[in-house]
Amino acid sequence: MPFHTLPVLYVDNKPLAQSHAIARYLARQFGINGKTPWQEAQVNSLADQFKEYQHQVHPYFMAKNGIHPGDAQTLYKEVFLPNFEKNYQFFTNFLNESGSDYLVGDSLTWVDLLIAQNTTDIASNTLAKFPEMEEHRKRIHTIPRVKRWIEKGVI
């Protein structure tokens, strides 16, 4: 365990740490990292923005789950909601600019899976301003292989 934390993926008995490094490695292995170097860069850009979004809303979730002190309602209004709306507008812009069902290019990428799963975890009333992202989530989760994966209870 290179950084003494999870997750770790072992490949040929060698550890690979950090969730996005693992995702990027697997995306390349399974052909879902973008069809061109530019698309791959765009996918990585979105994934890095997603990490920034997670960092921004972290205080809210820590208070909501009782891990750190703080008023969850106040943090929802002052921390989560503005950062959610800002970032989901970015994601919506990418989706609309792609001209397809996907965030980048015209085929599934790992960032579609990442953001679709996050969208699943967001309350529907919060998503009201972003119907495109809810539709994106539905499309991604009905891809046959993704649907089977979800049905197995992996996520």
Side-chain angles (χ1 to χ4, degrees), residues 29-135:
Q29 294 297 108
F30 291 100
I32 58 170
N33 61 329
K35 292 181 179 177
T36 67
W38 177 250
Q39 286 181 2
E40 184 174 353
Q42 291 296 295
V43 166
N44 288 333
S45 175
L46 275 167
D48 288 344
Q49 184 59 39
F50 182 83
K51 281 182 12 181
E52 180 65 26
Y53 158 68
Q54 285 184 308
H55 177 73
Q56 292 165 349
V57 299
H58 185 76
Y60 162 68
F61 285 104
M62 296 303 275
K64 178 184 174 193
N65 294 318
I67 298 169
H68 285 242
D71 179 51
Q73 262 188 325
T74 300
L75 288 168
Y76 176 82
K77 291 176 190 168
E78 295 177 3
V79 174
F80 174 79
L81 205 50
N83 285 297
F84 166 79
E85 289 178 356
K86 175 182 73 175
N87 284 282
Y88 263 69
Q89 187 60 61
F90 295 153
F91 304 151
T92 300
N93 293 346
F94 269 80
L95 181 62
N96 290 336
E97 289 171 15
S98 79
S100 74
D101 290 341
Y102 306 100
L103 291 161
V104 176
D106 61 0
S107 62
L108 179 71
T109 65
W110 71 275
V111 82
D112 288 300
L113 296 169
L114 177 71
I115 293 175
Q117 181 55 44
N118 187 76
T119 303
T120 299
D121 298 337
I122 303 297
S124 60
N125 63 329
T126 305
L127 281 168
K129 291 183 180 181
F130 302 99
E132 303 97 326
M133 296 309 296
E134 176 60 14
E135 289 302 313

